[in-house]
Amino acid sequence: MNNKIWKIGLFTGLISFVLLIFGVRTVLGQTLEWKNYIAFGLFGLSVGALVLLILFYELKIAFRIFMVAIVLGFAELFRSFLMDTNGLGDLAGILSLFIITSFGLGVALIVQFIVILMRKEKA
């Protein structure tokens, strides 16, 4: 699987980048500037690099938890964009994506390292 991990990381980063652009430009109807593309690209690059590192170090439980957190973050992003019509849905959606993804990464790494410590304790 080591020769495929960079493909998974690249795919995850590209999907994150495309979903952010789709959400802000299409769902919200906002025009994007070059700074928005850079910010979305950095987020996608960060997510892709994190997935690549998690898979490189063979943290399978952390990978699954982090991917669930990314999916939940994007679901909350689109929910905020579509349901909140009072003008703060865009801010709440972007912030919820960042918060849920960061929290998911933290929980994923903590759970994975607890599992690693429990396995070492038994051996």
Side-chain angles (χ1 to χ4, degrees):
M1 183 167 169
N2 284 339
N3 58 354
K4 294 182 182 180
I5 61 173
W6 68 271
K7 292 178 185 177
I8 296 171
L10 179 71
F11 180 73
T12 306
L14 281 174
I15 289 296
S16 298
F17 177 69
V18 169
L19 283 175
L20 272 170
I21 290 175
F22 174 76
V24 173
R25 189 177 61 189
T26 307
V27 176
L28 279 181
Q30 299 289 327
T31 57
L32 296 176
E33 297 179 3
W34 62 275
K35 291 179 184 179
N36 299 114
Y37 289 110
I38 290 174
F40 296 162
L42 287 175
F43 178 75
L45 183 67
S46 300
V47 168
L50 286 171
V51 168
L52 177 94
L53 288 173
I54 288 172
L55 289 175
F56 179 75
Y57 289 112
E58 297 177 358
L59 306 173
K60 296 184 187 308
I61 297 170
F63 172 72
R64 291 182 180 120
I65 294 172
F66 185 58
M67 291 306 291
V68 167
I70 291 173
V71 169
L72 288 175
F74 275 107
E76 177 62 22
L77 172 93
F78 287 115
R79 190 205 63 80
S80 294
F81 285 176
L82 293 172
M83 298 297 174
D84 193 7
T85 58
N86 64 0
L88 292 177
D90 52 352
L91 179 64
I94 294 291
L95 284 176
S96 64
L97 171 68
F98 293 156
I99 291 169
I100 292 171
T101 304
S102 301
F103 184 73
L105 176 65
V107 168
L109 293 177
I110 289 170
V111 168
Q112 181 69 52
F113 289 128
I114 288 173
V115 168
I116 289 171
L117 289 175
M118 287 177 58
R119 288 182 183 161
K120 282 189 178 183
E121 207 46 48
K122 288 184 180 179

